[in-house]
Amino acid sequence: MPVNLSSPQAADLHAVPGVRIGVAEAGVRKAHRKDLTVFLLDEGTSVAGVFTQNRFCAAPVQVCREHLAAGQGIRAMVVNTGNANAGTGADGLARARATCVALAGRLGLAPQQVLPFSTGVIMEPLPVERIEAGLPAAIADAQPGHWARAAEGIMTTDTLPKAFSTQVVIGGATVRITGISKGAGMIRPNMATMLGFLATDAVIAPELLQPLVRSLADGSFNRVTIDGDTSTNDSFVLMATHQAGHAPITSLDSSEGRALQAALLGVAQKLAQAIVRDGEGATKFITVRVEGGKTTAECRQVAYAIAHSPLVKTAFYASDPNLGRILAAVGYAGIEDLDQTRIELHLDDVHVATQGGRNPAYREEDGQRVMQQSEITVRVGLGRGEAHDTVWTCDLSHDYVSINADYRS
C-alpha cells in the first residue's frame, strides 16, 4: 500500500486552458487497461524538458531531444505504457519516429511537432501498429479535464495514479498549474523510470522555460530515490500555454517569476514525493535532511549515501533502530576530510548521536518509537558549514523483491 497517498479526484485538478488530454486502451502489453495517452496543445504553447542522464537512453528520449532542438513548436505528445522502447537500437528509433508520424498525420502537424514517451519493459520491440490503431480513440477522448484519466493511463507498476494541481494569482490573473507523474521502481536521482508532465497557462517568455524546468527538476525529481537505479526513459516536461492573460513574465528573478516558480515547484515536489510514497513495496516515507555542510552538493552526497543503503532501508522496514548503519553511510559517503567528532544524528525529535558517538540520553525504545511511524525524518549534522539539502526515499521490503522478480511475467 502507498504511504499516506490517495488517488487524485478529477474535480480537484484544474483544467489548463490550451491543453486537452485523451486516453485509450491500445493493448500495448496487456489488454483492457489504459495504456495510450495523447496531449494536444494549442498553437503557441511553449514546451521544455529534461531527460535521463543514463547513457543507455531509450529511443523516445532520443527523439524527444531531437524534436525539441528542431524548434518547430511542440503541438502534441503521445505516451504509451507497457513497453519502454529501450535497448532496441535503430529499430526502436524508427518505431518511435513512426509513432510521431502517425499522430502528426491525424492532427495535420509535422512529425517534429510531436514528442513520444514510452515506459515499461526494456528490450522488446514497440508494437507501433497497436499504438497507431489506438490513436483515433485517444484523440476522440481528448478533453481539458482529463488529467485524472491521464494519471491512470501512464501507470506501470504504480498502485495509484499521481496528480496534483494548484492556482496562483499573478498580475491580477488566476494562473492554473496541473501535473501528473508515474514511477514506483528503478527510481534514482537524475530522475528515473519516471514520467512527469506539468502544465500551466502562465504567460512566460519561452526562453525561460528550459532553465525553469531544469530548476524544477533539481528541486523535486532529482531529490528522490527508491532503489538507486537510474532508468533509461525518465522524462520531465513543462508546458506553458500563455493563456492566463497577465503581463508576460520576462525574468524568473522578478516577483511574478518567483511566485510562478514557487507554485510550480510545490506541485513538482508533490509529484516526486508521490513516486516515493508509492515505491515498490514501500511501507514508510523517509525524509533525509543533511545540515552543516560546506556545500549543498556534499550534503546531497551524504543524504544519498543514507537513502541508497540497503542496510539502512531494511532497518527502517523492520522498525529496527540499528542506527549505526546511518552513521556508517555518512562515513563512506566520500567526504575525505569529514570530522566524525562533529556528527550529530536525529530521528525526528530523538537525538541519537552527538559529537560522533551515542548520545548519553538516547534510549533505544525512543528510536524504535520513531521507526514504527509511517513517515520519518532523518536529520544529520556535519558540523562543517551552513549548507543543507534534502532527499526523499522509502524503506526496502520483501515486496520490492517480489514485484521486480515477477515484473515481466
Side-chain angles (χ1 to χ4, degrees), residues 11-258:
D12 296 332
L13 303 175
H14 304 298
V16 177
V19 180
R20 292 180 296 130
I21 308 171
V23 181
E25 297 179 1
V28 174
R29 182 169 178 81
K30 296 180 180 180
H32 310 303
R33 62 169 295 174
K34 299 180 181 70
D35 58 5
L36 181 63
T37 302
V38 296
F39 287 77
L40 309 182
L41 310 177
D42 282 4
E43 188 172 1
T45 298
S46 301
V47 179
V50 288
F51 302 91
T52 183
Q53 294 186 28
N54 190 320
R55 297 297 299 172
F56 200 82
C57 60
V61 169
Q62 298 175 58
V63 174
C64 278
R65 286 170 170 158
E66 291 173 2
H67 288 187
L68 285 168
Q72 294 196 27
I74 303 302
R75 294 290 309 283
M77 302 187 297
V78 54
V79 189
N80 75 268
T81 65
N83 185 302
N85 194 12
T88 48
D91 178 70
L93 282 170
R95 290 171 185 257
R97 293 188 175 111
T99 302
C100 296
V101 169
L103 181 55
R106 293 187 175 276
L107 300 175
L109 305 174
Q112 291 77 16
Q113 293 179 287
V114 178
L115 298 182
F117 302 86
S118 298
T119 181
V121 176
I122 294 173
M123 290 187 68
E124 292 188 4
L126 183 72
V128 177
E129 67 287 348
R130 298 179 191 174
I131 293 173
E132 290 181 355
L135 286 176
I139 294 170
D141 184 63
Q143 297 290 334
H146 279 181
W147 285 97
R149 282 174 57 79
E152 184 180 354
I154 65 173
M155 293 167 56
T156 50
T157 59
D158 309 63
T159 67
L160 287 178
K162 302 164 180 65
F164 296 94
S165 196
T166 193
Q167 294 184 148
V168 60
V169 176
I170 294 178
T174 298
V175 171
R176 299 162 183 84
I177 299 168
T178 300
I180 61 174
S181 65
K182 63 80 50 180
M186 213 174 186
I187 300 294
R188 192 207 181 276
N190 303 324
M191 300 194 305
T193 189
M194 56 128 309
L195 299 178
F197 302 98
L198 186 60
T200 179
D201 60 349
V203 186
I204 180 171
E207 64 270 17
L208 296 181
L209 229 60
Q210 188 59 46
L212 179 55
V213 72
R214 187 165 298 282
S215 173
L216 294 174
D218 284 343
S220 58
F221 294 105
N222 286 344
R223 291 291 180 276
V224 299
T225 183
I226 289 174
D227 48 22
D229 274 319
T230 299
S231 174
T232 54
N233 290 63
D234 54 316
S235 307
F236 175 45
V237 173
L238 176 63
M239 300 159 269
T241 65
H242 312 293
Q243 296 190 20
H246 58 83
I249 296 172
T250 58
S251 170
L252 295 177
D253 291 327
S254 65
S255 59
E256 295 82 3
R258 289 192 294 270

